[in-house]
Amino acid sequence: MSGNSWCALLDGQAAVTRELVGGKAKSIADMQALGLPVPPAFVITTRACLAYLETGAFPAGLEAEVDSCLRWLEGVIGRTFGHGDKRLLLSVRSGSAISMPGMMDTVLNLGIDDQGEAALAAETGMADFARDTHRRFVELYSAIVLKQPLDLDAAKAPSQWRDELASLGAALPETPRQQLMAAIQAVFDSWNTRRAKRYRQHNNIPDDLGTAVTVQAMIFGNLDERSGTGVLFSRNPLTGENLPYGEYLPRAQGEDVVSGKFTPLPLDAMLDREPEAHAALLKASALLERTHGDVQDIEFTVQTGQLYLLQSRSAKRAPQAAIRFAVDMVDEGRIDPATALSRVSAEQAVAVLLPRLAGAGDAELIAQGEGACPGAASGILVGDPDEAERRAAVGADVILVRKTTSPDDVHGMIAARGVVTEQGGSTSHAAVVSRALGRPCVVGTGAGLTDRLGQYVTIDGERGAVFAGALPTEIPNESADPYLSRLLELLPDEIRAAVQPLDADGADLALDVDTVMVDGSIEDIASAVSGHEAVRGRSLGNPEVVRGARKGGASRFFSTPLLPAMLTLMEEAAP
């Protein structure tokens, strides 16, 4: 693409950067280069997004470039957008340089109208499929672009759906092209939603990156009984086990899986239904993991037995999985120790070393679902994310329980000790975001928990269980755990020398930062440590305390456990 362009074709020819086209479009380009089956697409760049956010209007020339890219896409796929007997329908998806799963907006099936529905029904001989696709578009477009969520009656005519929208003071733009430009604007605007800002703040992602918009030809997982959609992880993102892990939802589209409104089947269901597509998926997964040197999260769709890959990215992982991935991939010769250590944060080490359920005993099991992120947490069941944030701010331990979560719930998920949903599977929004946040999570418990608001419970994110009351927990031993101890071995000698156990020689002469924390706060650490080379204390298990002590000039640390402090020093030393 030229230096003045706002768009880029994803044709497998031009080199693109993640910073310019976002992770989603970059993954499409990379998969195309590997010869994998990917629906054709083009991308509107982050540069266009930033120009729009600065002025509130599309930059000059953007719309003409979109039209040119549409003509290219029509030629590649042999379909026409907005007219004709063979309609081109589009997915319009956000994609920033740094993955923000579920935080921004997506519109599917764009380009269908009454005439398009009739053309799709005539082409496929499936009037029910065409109507279902039309309904899906109107529902998603209404929610994302028009900000009017609807639950449409599939038995009604599209004209009645539009009347329902009109009664709410909203209306679909008249032409598919107008709908496309409004959808692009909505994706740009989603960069600055409350949920996206809160997610970036929590994960230290800069606000000035912007999002690209990937416009891709639709593949229909809801077409027939040999179609479906799913998510595959090249290794288990909960436990770290080196086995493919995923879910498959027959006759569905990707939004059905991510939303959590439907509980998918295990990936083996795809093997039973479409063995050839399943084999092709596993082969592609192995190739992508080998190429990128990291565990992959792959979105895919099957249309009448044919596999299509939509996206591949480094997988969000539960903290204990992050440690096992790092250790195993070093031992397999796939990555070096420095790379492995860069993939485990100090906060993930803290999460792994948090208490786990010691045993349920005769505790009352009040709900059983699927474990989506390991760990144990106790707290009051709260059903509203705003309430969860308010209660946590005054020191309460809360468990956020929702029928399903959406991106609008992320502030409550951050505030909660753990998350539970009554619907959804282990690749739903709740599961993916909880793993990114390191929160214990249970999904798919069935109805009932939202009727228990205010009750104190304990959740087990490994076994997918919810118990009444507070249950006893135990703390993992980092020297006895094979993956934690192996990770310690991978650390450089100078880091291992700088952090010693609390009972090591010389610890009694170090400044006790625990006493500082009793009388002050983390903000007081740097000034309190000034002039002291060595510090000690259990509070050094908190990475923020280590950072404060390091800022104050400390270079030797006596701490139990060791890993959080060691990994914090590694991060501080990174260029």
Side-chain angles (χ1 to χ4, degrees):
M1 61 182 288
S2 69
N4 296 321
S5 295
W6 301 113
C7 301
L9 302 178
L10 300 176
D11 55 5
Q13 304 299 316
V16 293
T17 65
R18 178 179 295 271
E19 291 71 23
L20 186 63
V21 304
K24 190 175 276 81
K26 182 66 166 65
S27 79
I28 290 172
D30 290 345
M31 291 190 294
Q32 288 173 329
L34 292 170
L36 295 171
V38 184
F42 66 90
V43 61
I44 303 154
T45 65
T46 57
R47 187 165 62 215
C49 175
L50 294 173
Y52 166 82
L53 293 175
E54 183 177 352
T55 65
F58 288 142
L62 172 61
E63 293 197 43
E65 286 193 39
V66 170
D67 289 337
S68 176
C69 290
L70 278 173
R71 289 192 294 271
W72 169 81
L73 193 56
E74 287 176 329
V76 170
I77 202 165
R79 294 180 171 274
T80 50
F81 179 69
H83 62 92
D85 294 333
K86 295 184 67 176
R87 291 295 184 99
L88 168 62
L89 302 189
L90 303 171
S91 70
V92 182
R93 307 176 74 192
S94 61
S96 62
I98 299 175
S99 177
M100 295 172 55
M103 291 302 107
M104 292 179 293
D105 289 335
T106 294
V107 177
L108 303 180
N109 304 307
L110 194 147
I112 195 168
D113 52 17
D114 290 359
Q115 295 75 28
E117 179 186 326
L120 197 58
E123 180 185 356
T124 62
M126 300 178 184
D128 59 338
F129 157 69
R131 177 59 55 88
D132 178 59
T133 301
H134 197 170
R135 176 193 59 78
R136 288 169 178 271
F137 164 69
V138 175
E139 283 190 346
L140 199 53
Y141 195 93
S142 299
I144 299 302
V145 182
L146 304 178
K147 311 304 180 188
Q148 292 288 353
L150 294 173
D151 188 6
L152 297 174
D153 184 347
K156 290 184 178 179
S159 60
Q160 293 174 293
W161 301 339
R162 292 191 291 271
D163 289 343
E164 188 173 341
L165 256 181
S167 71
L168 298 172
L172 285 172
E174 290 187 3
T175 69
R177 185 190 180 281
Q178 291 171 333
Q179 294 166 6
L180 173 60
M181 298 312 300
I184 292 168
Q185 182 177 350
V187 173
F188 282 168
D189 287 337
S190 71
W191 178 256
N192 280 333
T193 57
R194 175 192 181 190
R195 64 183 185 251
K197 288 180 177 179
R198 190 72 179 85
Y199 186 90
R200 290 199 297 274
Q201 179 185 22
H202 182 78
N203 290 280
N204 297 313
I205 298 173
D207 285 326
D208 59 357
L209 299 179
T211 179
V213 182
T214 300
V215 180
Q216 190 169 31
M218 281 294 303
I219 300 297
F220 299 103
N222 61 324
L223 178 59
D224 55 29
E225 294 303 323
R226 296 197 59 202
S227 302
T229 189
V231 177
L232 169 73
F233 294 86
S234 56
R235 304 187 189 206
N236 190 311
L238 282 69
T239 66
E241 189 177 11
N242 187 5
L243 287 174
Y245 176 91
E247 294 178 327
Y248 184 70
L249 192 58
R251 203 160 191 179
Q253 293 190 336
E255 195 66 19
D256 297 328
V257 177
V258 175
S259 70
K261 293 179 181 178
F262 302 90
T263 300
L265 303 174
L267 194 66
D268 284 348
M270 182 184 175
L271 173 61
D272 295 337
R273 287 170 170 263
E274 296 298 332
E276 291 185 7
H278 182 270
L281 177 63
L282 295 189
K283 184 177 180 181
S285 169
L287 174 61
L288 287 164
E289 181 181 285
R290 187 167 63 250
T291 299
H292 294 291
D294 196 8
V295 177
Q296 296 296 292
D297 169 359
I298 302 167
E299 297 176 20
F300 66 92
T301 291
V302 177
Q303 180 175 303
T304 316
Q306 172 63 51
L307 173 72
Y308 294 91
L309 305 181
L310 306 181
Q311 180 179 1
S312 181
R313 60 189 174 191
S314 292
K316 298 297 182 185
R317 55 207 68 182
Q320 69 184 57
I323 291 173
R324 181 165 176 177
F325 288 164
V327 168
D328 283 350
M329 294 189 93
V330 168
D331 292 343
E332 293 164 15
R334 292 175 179 260
I335 58 176
D336 58 29
T339 299
L341 291 166
S342 73
R343 292 180 181 171
V344 181
S345 69
E347 283 74 16
Q348 286 173 322
V350 170
V352 169
L353 292 166
L354 286 174
R356 299 180 185 177
L357 204 60
D362 57 357
E364 179 189 1
L365 177 68
I366 60 175
Q368 179 67 59
E370 183 177 358
C373 190
S378 299
I380 300 167
L381 280 177
V382 173
D384 179 78
D386 292 335
E387 182 185 353
E389 190 173 51
R390 286 194 301 269
R391 289 199 179 201
V394 295
D397 293 331
V398 300
I399 304 296
L400 180 65
V401 57
R402 302 283 279 168
K403 188 174 182 179
T404 65
T405 65
S406 76
D408 291 329
D409 298 326
V410 70
H411 60 292
M413 298 174 73
I414 290 171
R417 295 287 305 277
V419 177
V420 183
T421 64
E422 294 181 334
Q423 298 178 355
S426 61
T427 58
S428 65
H429 174 271
V432 172
V433 174
S434 291
R435 287 195 287 272
L437 298 175
R439 299 289 187 273
C441 180
V442 178
V443 296
T445 62
L449 278 179
T450 51
D451 298 328
R452 292 177 175 263
L453 300 183
Q455 184 173 341
Y456 206 91
V457 302
T458 297
I459 69 171
D460 183 345
E462 185 170 355
R463 286 173 275 189
V466 182
F467 298 95
L471 299 185
T473 57
E474 59 187 7
I475 298 175
N477 184 327
E478 61 187 346
S479 62
D481 184 282
Y483 292 101
L484 294 174
S485 60
R486 178 72 175 114
L487 194 66
L488 285 169
E489 294 173 1
L490 297 179
L491 286 153
D493 291 343
E494 61 270 22
I495 297 292
R496 291 164 56 83
V499 183
Q500 296 292 311
L502 273 173
D503 58 0
D505 292 342
D508 56 333
L509 302 177
L511 174 70
D512 186 351
V513 293
D514 289 347
T515 61
V516 178
M517 292 300 298
V518 168
D519 298 325
S521 66
I522 290 177
E523 287 72 22
D524 301 322
I525 291 293
S527 58
V529 168
S530 181
H532 294 270
E533 175 191 1
V535 293
R536 74 174 190 271
R538 292 191 178 277
S539 59
L540 292 170
N542 182 336
E544 287 302 317
V545 175
V546 178
R547 293 180 185 115
R550 189 77 186 87
K551 185 178 180 181
S555 58
R556 297 182 64 209
F557 301 80
F558 295 91
S559 172
T560 300
L562 300 171
L563 260 178
M566 289 184 174
L567 289 171
T568 303
L569 295 186
M570 283 287 296
E571 294 168 8
E572 293 281 303

